[in-house]
Amino acid sequence: MHPMLAVAVLVTTIAGVPGVAGHADGAANVAQFDKPTHIAVDRANGDLYVTDRNNNSVRKLSGGGVSTFLLHTTKSPAALNFDGPMNGGIAIEPPGTYSQSPGYGRMLFISSSGAHQVAQIDVFGYPGVHDFEFVGVRDVPGGADFPFYQGLYPAFNTPTAIALDRWRYLIGQDRDIFVANTGDGSIRRLTRRINFEAEYYTRSVVTCARGFTAPRGLAVGPDGSLFVADTGSHTIRRVAPDGTVTTVAGVAGVAGSDDGPALASHLNTPTGIDVDDAGNVYISDTGNHTIRRLRTDGILDTIAGKPGVGGYTDGDGPVARFSGPVGLQVAADGSLIVADTSNHVIRKITIGPKRRAVRH
């Protein structure tokens, strides 16, 4: 056999106590989560924001410690509601988004899935502490397209994953936020703008793609394409900038775990998804308890975990074990941050340089 190029993959736990569900802040190795589901990575400083689903809170991992960033457990109008499995998407705007108005460029977007709303909050608490703006009508599912004032319209139906476009904007330009409208199988585009009076506001919410089966993962690629983990159909699909939808990995309606040419290989309930700067797509293959990669050459491979074997183990990729991982994000250094949901921990996957495997 000719020598093959392999990738060095190392899985470590960076927060939480494996197998222990709870709600405890403190040092990362003793902090507790209860079904952490989706993750947002702040590329300014490496901080992580996690939707801690069963605790109905947003947790923050920073400097080796975990704190509770948002805790909304009441039934007040401002309460978040993450509801059932795989819900509660989250995304953060990158630093320096608006070079002329930096205070407005750091919005945190949170899917209040059970309330059919998307919450928007300035991560720095400006102008007040944790001021919320909600898009959509609380407890009213919908998918109405509309411009301008958002509070009058039911905009979302069980929103989950959130992804932001990759561009840098000046005042007067738009930013697109994509939301998986899981309840009706569509993708919604929420457009925001900061105007010349320094007002940052929602301009519109429209449907940009339909025909998915419970989409639960979104990521924007370097060319502006939107990648969708079409969870219910066991596929990854691509929405091109012109709106064309194609399947890029998996076989629709057929669950499996085999690697190889992407359109002939299989996935099992894929959820979390992200794309690196080179265009490789990383996938939390939740039903298989593995992390998969759709390479730019069209090959789907498994980089961590063993298909169909749930558990908890740190170590090299093939040795590592996960239990129902959901959220996945590419960090600024190229590593992957994974919400290992049913293990109640946050994991890090370090992907090293290629090395030459042993000749057989």
Side-chain angles (χ1 to χ4, degrees):
M1 181 178 180
H2 294 291
M4 300 289 290
L5 289 176
V7 175
V9 174
L10 179 65
V11 179
T12 57
T13 299
I14 60 173
V17 180
V20 178
H23 186 284
D25 291 338
N29 64 333
V30 297
Q32 295 175 8
F33 300 85
D34 192 345
K35 294 294 179 71
T37 304
H38 291 274
I39 295 173
V41 177
D42 187 343
R43 286 180 169 252
N45 50 27
D47 289 350
L48 306 180
Y49 295 86
V50 180
T51 54
D52 194 9
R53 196 188 77 229
N54 281 357
N55 285 317
N56 216 50
S57 62
V58 175
R59 313 289 292 283
K60 182 178 180 181
L61 174 59
S62 177
V66 174
S67 61
T68 299
F69 182 71
L70 292 172
L71 178 60
H72 285 267
T73 58
T74 70
K75 294 184 178 180
S76 70
L80 295 170
N81 181 353
F82 293 148
D83 197 30
M86 305 181 195
N87 289 348
I90 191 168
I92 187 172
E93 286 189 310
T97 296
Y98 296 101
S99 60
Q100 298 179 54
S101 187
Y104 284 94
R106 305 309 311 287
M107 294 294 287
L108 190 68
F109 299 91
I110 307 164
S111 287
S112 186
S113 307
H116 309 292
Q117 292 179 305
V118 171
Q120 303 168 137
I121 178 176
D122 191 307
V123 73
F124 296 122
Y126 182 91
V129 177
H130 301 333
D131 286 350
F132 273 94
E133 175 188 347
F134 283 94
V135 180
V137 179
R138 185 174 179 84
D139 298 328
V140 181
D145 291 347
F146 62 88
F148 306 111
Y149 184 61
Q150 64 272 16
L152 298 176
Y153 300 87
F156 300 106
N157 187 337
T158 317
T160 55
I162 302 176
L164 280 61
D165 60 27
R166 285 174 167 248
W167 319 129
R168 181 184 176 91
Y169 295 93
L170 300 176
I171 288 176
Q173 294 180 314
D174 293 338
R175 148 141 284 154
D176 289 332
I177 298 96
F178 299 96
V179 181
N181 216 36
T182 307
D184 68 7
S186 69
I187 308 300
R188 307 281 281 159
R189 184 176 66 239
L190 187 160
T191 302
R192 291 180 64 82
R193 169 175 290 190
I194 183 167
N195 65 20
F196 289 96
E197 294 180 344
E199 296 169 334
Y200 193 35
Y201 65 101
T202 296
R203 298 192 68 219
S204 62
V205 179
V206 300
T207 296
C208 62
R210 297 183 184 275
F212 300 92
T213 307
R216 292 185 177 274
L218 297 177
V220 177
D223 67 348
S225 295
L226 179 68
F227 289 87
V228 182
D230 196 7
T231 306
S233 74
H234 309 295
T235 58
I236 305 301
R237 304 177 75 186
R238 174 180 177 266
V239 183
D242 66 2
T244 303
V245 180
T246 56
T247 299
V248 295
V251 178
V254 182
S257 61
D258 51 312
D259 291 337
L263 292 176
S265 300
H266 297 82
L267 297 146
N268 186 350
T269 320
T271 53
I273 186 172
D274 205 1
V275 186
D276 67 16
D277 292 339
N280 297 294
V281 181
Y282 295 92
I283 306 155
S284 284
D285 199 6
T286 306
N288 281 322
H289 309 292
T290 57
I291 306 303
R292 313 285 292 278
R293 175 181 58 179
L294 172 59
R295 300 181 341 205
T296 56
D297 61 0
I299 298 297
L300 180 67
D301 60 7
T302 300
I303 64 169
K306 184 175 181 179
V309 181
Y312 172 80
T313 307
D314 281 341
D316 291 340
V319 174
R321 297 290 181 266
F322 300 84
S323 183
V326 177
L328 180 151
Q329 288 279 286
V330 178
D333 64 359
S335 63
L336 308 180
I337 308 299
V338 179
D340 192 5
T341 303
S342 293
N343 278 323
H344 311 292
V345 294
I346 309 302
R347 316 285 289 275
K348 179 177 181 178
I349 301 177
T350 304
I351 303 175
K354 291 183 177 180
R355 64 190 180 194
R356 191 165 297 276
V358 177
R359 184 187 296 270
H360 296 287

